């Protein structure tokens, strides 16, 4: 029977990923909302959820990750930048800062992995509109799994409400997509979720998900 990822619930995708890749699976989450950690706890609770701790996360995000870990019973594994990198590069070269504080730590987290689960959604923005649910990621040499790709903000909000999940503490202070404090600002009325990231610059991605629109979708048959 063909497994139709496009129409599958994220829980089905995650269960398939767990059965297919086992210990070769790495899950990363931004901890800006509870959705992915919650779904992981309901499907592959043995999997660690990796937090890329750039050193510039909001204190609220650090607290929230601990809170979700305790509430859902998932293990959060923090990956940090190398200790010898230059500080405050975000002030003059945000691309270099993201490379050192996000991309390089991700590459360490994915070393030896066969598959990578992310919280990327098509509705995040134009660069993510064609994100497959499952695809080859040649840049990271893994199968990339985006179980939430087809969910928009309203579907996420519905999942949070129907499961009575806690929101990030900054959510009710006007923040949408929540990243590092120097590069995240609250939203004005009507702005899209990621409008508060790198406000005032052309930068719209940190470099983690550049292959999201270029990888080849995976077709899988299982019984
Ligand atoms: S989002 Fe900003 S502070 Fe965080 S790693 Fe990128 S440039 Fe640095």
């Amino acid at each position: 029977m063909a497994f139709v990822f496009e129409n599958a619930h994220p829980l089905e995708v995650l269960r398939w990923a767990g059965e297919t890749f086992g210990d070769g699976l790495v899950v990363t989450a931004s901890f800006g909302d509870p959705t992915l950690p919650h779904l992981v706890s309901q499907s592959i609770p043995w999997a660690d959820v990796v937090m890329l701790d750039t050193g510039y996360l909001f204190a609220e995000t650090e607290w929230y990750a601990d809170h979700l870990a305790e509430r859902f019973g998932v293990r959060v594994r923090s990956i940090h930048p190398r200790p010898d990198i230059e500080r405050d590069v975000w002030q003059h070269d945000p691309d270099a800062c993201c490379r050192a504080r996000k991309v390089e730590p991700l590459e360490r987290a994915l070393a030896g992995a066969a598959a990578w689960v992310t919280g990327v959604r098509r509705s995040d923005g134009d660069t993510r509109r064609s994100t497959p649910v499952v695809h080859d990621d040649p840049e990271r040499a893994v199968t990339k799994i985006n179980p939430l790709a087809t969910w928009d903000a309203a579907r996420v909000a519905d999942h949070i409400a129907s499961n009575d999940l806690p929101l990030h503490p900054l959510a009710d202070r006007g923040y949408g997509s929540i990243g590092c404090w120097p590069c995240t600002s609250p939203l004005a009325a009507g702005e899209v979720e990621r409008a508060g990231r790198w406000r005032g610059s052309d930068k719209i991605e940190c470099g983690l998900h550049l292959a999201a629109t270029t990888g080849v979708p995976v077709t899988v048959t299982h019984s």
Side-chain angles (χ1 to χ4, degrees):
M1 181 177 73
F3 188 89
V4 183
F5 291 118
E6 188 66 20
N7 300 325
H9 190 280
L11 285 173
E12 290 180 82
V13 178
L14 287 167
R15 289 190 189 107
W16 167 84
E19 290 165 8
T20 304
F21 297 104
D23 289 347
L25 197 65
V26 171
V27 179
T28 62
S30 64
F31 292 93
D33 73 71
T35 314
L36 185 60
H38 178 249
L39 291 167
V40 166
S41 76
Q42 302 296 298
S43 55
I44 47 171
W46 44 265
D48 290 355
V49 181
V50 170
M51 179 168 75
L52 298 173
D53 187 344
T54 61
Y56 291 122
L57 296 181
F58 287 96
E60 288 89 341
T61 301
E62 307 263 10
W63 173 87
Y64 188 55
D66 287 345
H67 181 64
L68 295 184
E70 189 174 334
R71 167 111 176 229
F72 300 156
V74 295
R75 278 191 314 273
V76 174
R77 181 160 57 94
S78 294
I79 306 284
H80 302 274
R82 295 194 184 284
D84 55 349
I85 61 173
E86 189 183 345
R87 289 199 59 79
D88 300 331
V89 174
W90 59 271
Q91 294 177 334
H92 58 87
D93 190 346
D95 286 339
C97 185
C98 281
R99 270 198 303 279
R101 293 180 177 274
K102 292 188 172 185
V103 177
E104 190 281 330
L106 172 72
E107 289 171 350
R108 268 187 282 128
L110 293 181
W116 173 28
V117 173
T118 85
V120 169
R121 291 189 282 112
R122 291 172 191 163
S123 65
D124 287 337
D126 289 343
T127 56
R128 303 183 178 186
R129 293 248 184 261
S130 58
T131 301
V133 178
V134 181
H135 67 103
D136 290 323
D137 184 339
E139 193 156 342
R140 310 275 181 244
V142 292
T143 298
K144 190 171 179 184
I145 301 159
N146 309 296
L148 295 167
T150 61
W151 281 19
D152 60 12
R155 184 68 186 83
V156 169
D158 179 60
H159 179 82
I160 291 170
S162 59
N163 290 280
D164 194 24
L165 303 180
L167 292 174
H168 190 292
L170 295 179
D172 64 2
R173 288 185 234 164
Y175 287 82
S177 172
I178 299 169
C180 298
W181 64 261
C183 304
T184 306
S185 55
L187 300 176
E191 284 189 316
V192 296
E193 281 177 81
R194 286 177 66 82
R197 304 289 292 275
W198 303 287
R199 189 181 288 284
S201 80
D202 293 338
K203 186 173 170 65
I204 53 174
E205 288 282 358
C206 57
L208 297 180
H209 301 299
L210 291 182
T213 58
T214 59
V216 178
V218 169
T219 302
V220 172
T221 299
H222 83 161
S223 57

